Amino acid sequence: MAKLDQIIDDFAYLDEWEDRYRYVIELGKALPELPEDKRTSENKVQGCASQVWLVSHVAEDGADPVLTFEGDSDAHIVRGLVAIVLAAYSGKPASEIAQTDAIEIFNRIGLVEHLSAQRANGLRSMVKRIRDEARLQAAA
């Protein structure tokens, strides 16, 4: 899976929206497929037009647990968005996740302005779910 810094750098070199669009699809194709047994209603993200599943894993590591995430979608573009969200959050301490707004990252790389209203709402739902999980774990 691509690292967030690499994704941001790659977007800086892509001037055309169509090239960025293709890159998002490539990121989605590189995302490991979520096993069928994890595609449950409890892992499904509400508020997404496409089907999106997120699974969180917590490594109890003192007062600030580290969270990792798995995710998938049935739509190519959304799967790429999931890959970027996971690059932003997975493997980080709960306190850092709670403070990081991935929507700002999407704004910085120029993606939010090109997303349909439904995809933008779905993206916000993914980010909210991950940050809420991090806040819950940080408070535990």
Side-chain angles (χ1 to χ4, degrees), residues 1-13 23 27 87 109:
M1 199 162 63
K3 299 285 184 201
L4 184 60
D5 291 340
Q6 183 64 51
I7 293 170
I8 292 170
D9 287 347
D10 290 346
F11 268 98
Y13 289 106
Y23 182 56
L27 290 170
I109 61 178

mmCIF file of all heavy atoms in Angstrom, residues 1-13 23 27 87 109:
data_model
loop_
_atom_site.group_PDB
_atom_site.id
_atom_site.type_symbol
_atom_site.label_atom_id
_atom_site.label_comp_id
_atom_site.label_asym_id
_atom_site.label_seq_id
_atom_site.Cartn_x
_atom_site.Cartn_y
_atom_site.Cartn_z
ATOM 1 N N MET A 1 0.845 -1.176 0.000
ATOM 2 C CA MET A 1 0.000 0.000 0.000
ATOM 3 C C MET A 1 0.896 1.247 0.000
ATOM 4 O O MET A 1 1.906 1.286 0.692
ATOM 5 C CB MET A 1 -0.899 -0.021 1.238
ATOM 6 C CG MET A 1 -2.091 0.880 1.088
ATOM 7 S SD MET A 1 -3.443 0.530 2.241
ATOM 8 C CE MET A 1 -2.695 0.851 3.810
ATOM 9 N N ALA A 2 0.506 2.244 -0.738
ATOM 10 C CA ALA A 2 1.292 3.474 -0.878
ATOM 11 C C ALA A 2 1.285 4.280 0.420
ATOM 12 O O ALA A 2 0.312 4.283 1.161
ATOM 13 C CB ALA A 2 0.735 4.310 -2.015
ATOM 14 N N LYS A 3 2.384 4.972 0.658
ATOM 15 C CA LYS A 3 2.509 5.853 1.821
ATOM 16 C C LYS A 3 1.915 7.209 1.463
ATOM 17 O O LYS A 3 1.975 7.651 0.312
ATOM 18 C CB LYS A 3 3.977 6.020 2.216
ATOM 19 C CG LYS A 3 4.643 4.719 2.610
ATOM 20 C CD LYS A 3 4.199 4.297 3.969
ATOM 21 C CE LYS A 3 4.948 3.062 4.397
ATOM 22 N NZ LYS A 3 4.281 2.329 5.414
ATOM 23 N N LEU A 4 1.381 7.902 2.445
ATOM 24 C CA LEU A 4 0.715 9.177 2.211
ATOM 25 C C LEU A 4 1.642 10.206 1.571
ATOM 26 O O LEU A 4 1.233 10.896 0.621
ATOM 27 C CB LEU A 4 0.121 9.722 3.512
ATOM 28 C CG LEU A 4 -0.681 11.013 3.358
ATOM 29 C CD1 LEU A 4 -1.859 10.822 2.413
ATOM 30 C CD2 LEU A 4 -1.144 11.499 4.715
ATOM 31 N N ASP A 5 2.880 10.320 2.047
ATOM 32 C CA ASP A 5 3.816 11.293 1.469
ATOM 33 C C ASP A 5 4.040 11.024 -0.012
ATOM 34 O O ASP A 5 4.112 11.958 -0.815
ATOM 35 C CB ASP A 5 5.163 11.275 2.207
ATOM 36 C CG ASP A 5 5.053 11.819 3.618
ATOM 37 O OD1 ASP A 5 4.079 12.545 3.901
ATOM 38 O OD2 ASP A 5 5.944 11.525 4.434
ATOM 39 N N GLN A 6 4.140 9.751 -0.381
ATOM 40 C CA GLN A 6 4.326 9.392 -1.784
ATOM 41 C C GLN A 6 3.098 9.757 -2.612
ATOM 42 O O GLN A 6 3.216 10.267 -3.726
ATOM 43 C CB GLN A 6 4.626 7.899 -1.923
ATOM 44 C CG GLN A 6 4.903 7.465 -3.346
ATOM 45 C CD GLN A 6 6.165 8.110 -3.915
ATOM 46 O OE1 GLN A 6 7.206 8.059 -3.287
ATOM 47 N NE2 GLN A 6 6.059 8.719 -5.085
ATOM 48 N N ILE A 7 1.923 9.521 -2.066
ATOM 49 C CA ILE A 7 0.682 9.859 -2.764
ATOM 50 C C ILE A 7 0.607 11.364 -3.005
ATOM 51 O O ILE A 7 0.303 11.818 -4.117
ATOM 52 C CB ILE A 7 -0.547 9.364 -1.969
ATOM 53 C CG1 ILE A 7 -0.583 7.832 -1.946
ATOM 54 C CG2 ILE A 7 -1.839 9.940 -2.541
ATOM 55 C CD1 ILE A 7 -1.614 7.243 -1.000
ATOM 56 N N ILE A 8 0.919 12.153 -1.990
ATOM 57 C CA ILE A 8 0.890 13.617 -2.114
ATOM 58 C C ILE A 8 1.898 14.074 -3.168
ATOM 59 O O ILE A 8 1.581 14.916 -4.015
ATOM 60 C CB ILE A 8 1.134 14.291 -0.748
ATOM 61 C CG1 ILE A 8 -0.056 14.022 0.182
ATOM 62 C CG2 ILE A 8 1.387 15.787 -0.914
ATOM 63 C CD1 ILE A 8 0.167 14.418 1.623
ATOM 64 N N ASP A 9 3.101 13.514 -3.126
ATOM 65 C CA ASP A 9 4.124 13.862 -4.128
ATOM 66 C C ASP A 9 3.667 13.488 -5.538
ATOM 67 O O ASP A 9 3.845 14.261 -6.480
ATOM 68 C CB ASP A 9 5.453 13.151 -3.828
ATOM 69 C CG ASP A 9 6.175 13.740 -2.627
ATOM 70 O OD1 ASP A 9 5.795 14.848 -2.173
ATOM 71 O OD2 ASP A 9 7.111 13.077 -2.135
ATOM 72 N N ASP A 10 3.064 12.317 -5.681
ATOM 73 C CA ASP A 10 2.593 11.878 -6.993
ATOM 74 C C ASP A 10 1.516 12.814 -7.528
ATOM 75 O O ASP A 10 1.510 13.160 -8.709
ATOM 76 C CB ASP A 10 2.071 10.442 -6.930
ATOM 77 C CG ASP A 10 3.179 9.419 -6.716
ATOM 78 O OD1 ASP A 10 4.368 9.761 -6.882
ATOM 79 O OD2 ASP A 10 2.847 8.266 -6.364
ATOM 80 N N PHE A 11 0.606 13.240 -6.670
ATOM 81 C CA PHE A 11 -0.444 14.167 -7.098
ATOM 82 C C PHE A 11 0.147 15.501 -7.550
ATOM 83 O O PHE A 11 -0.393 16.138 -8.454
ATOM 84 C CB PHE A 11 -1.474 14.388 -5.994
ATOM 85 C CG PHE A 11 -2.631 13.441 -6.075
ATOM 86 C CD1 PHE A 11 -2.667 12.306 -5.290
ATOM 87 C CD2 PHE A 11 -3.686 13.681 -6.943
ATOM 88 C CE1 PHE A 11 -3.724 11.426 -5.374
ATOM 89 C CE2 PHE A 11 -4.748 12.803 -7.033
ATOM 90 C CZ PHE A 11 -4.764 11.667 -6.243
ATOM 91 N N ALA A 12 1.246 15.923 -6.934
ATOM 92 C CA ALA A 12 1.876 17.195 -7.306
ATOM 93 C C ALA A 12 2.380 17.161 -8.749
ATOM 94 O O ALA A 12 2.443 18.210 -9.406
ATOM 95 C CB ALA A 12 3.024 17.513 -6.348
ATOM 96 N N TYR A 13 2.720 15.998 -9.247
ATOM 97 C CA TYR A 13 3.224 15.859 -10.616
ATOM 98 C C TYR A 13 2.126 15.677 -11.654
ATOM 99 O O TYR A 13 2.384 15.754 -12.845
ATOM 100 C CB TYR A 13 4.207 14.675 -10.711
ATOM 101 C CG TYR A 13 5.505 14.956 -10.018
ATOM 102 C CD1 TYR A 13 5.797 14.357 -8.804
ATOM 103 C CD2 TYR A 13 6.435 15.827 -10.571
ATOM 104 C CE1 TYR A 13 6.987 14.622 -8.151
ATOM 105 C CE2 TYR A 13 7.632 16.089 -9.930
ATOM 106 C CZ TYR A 13 7.899 15.483 -8.717
ATOM 107 O OH TYR A 13 9.080 15.753 -8.077
ATOM 108 N N TYR A 23 -4.912 7.770 -11.394
ATOM 109 C CA TYR A 23 -4.038 7.440 -10.271
ATOM 110 C C TYR A 23 -4.854 6.943 -9.072
ATOM 111 O O TYR A 23 -4.465 5.975 -8.400
ATOM 112 C CB TYR A 23 -3.187 8.649 -9.893
ATOM 113 C CG TYR A 23 -2.218 8.386 -8.769
ATOM 114 C CD1 TYR A 23 -1.286 7.354 -8.844
ATOM 115 C CD2 TYR A 23 -2.225 9.173 -7.621
ATOM 116 C CE1 TYR A 23 -0.391 7.112 -7.811
ATOM 117 C CE2 TYR A 23 -1.329 8.938 -6.585
ATOM 118 C CZ TYR A 23 -0.428 7.903 -6.683
ATOM 119 O OH TYR A 23 0.448 7.668 -5.656
ATOM 120 N N LEU A 27 -4.483 3.353 -7.207
ATOM 121 C CA LEU A 27 -4.327 3.171 -5.758
ATOM 122 C C LEU A 27 -5.360 2.159 -5.245
ATOM 123 O O LEU A 27 -5.050 1.315 -4.402
ATOM 124 C CB LEU A 27 -4.482 4.505 -5.023
ATOM 125 C CG LEU A 27 -3.361 5.511 -5.215
ATOM 126 C CD1 LEU A 27 -3.757 6.867 -4.637
ATOM 127 C CD2 LEU A 27 -2.067 5.010 -4.574
ATOM 128 N N ALA A 87 -4.004 5.317 4.006
ATOM 129 C CA ALA A 87 -2.625 5.818 4.040
ATOM 130 C C ALA A 87 -2.492 6.965 5.029
ATOM 131 O O ALA A 87 -1.453 7.128 5.676
ATOM 132 C CB ALA A 87 -2.188 6.261 2.638
ATOM 133 N N ILE A 109 -4.513 18.081 -2.126
ATOM 134 C CA ILE A 109 -4.130 17.430 -3.383
ATOM 135 C C ILE A 109 -5.146 17.682 -4.495
ATOM 136 O O ILE A 109 -4.997 17.176 -5.601
ATOM 137 C CB ILE A 109 -3.854 15.911 -3.202
ATOM 138 C CG1 ILE A 109 -5.081 15.159 -2.694
ATOM 139 C CG2 ILE A 109 -2.670 15.692 -2.282
ATOM 140 C CD1 ILE A 109 -4.877 13.651 -2.540
#
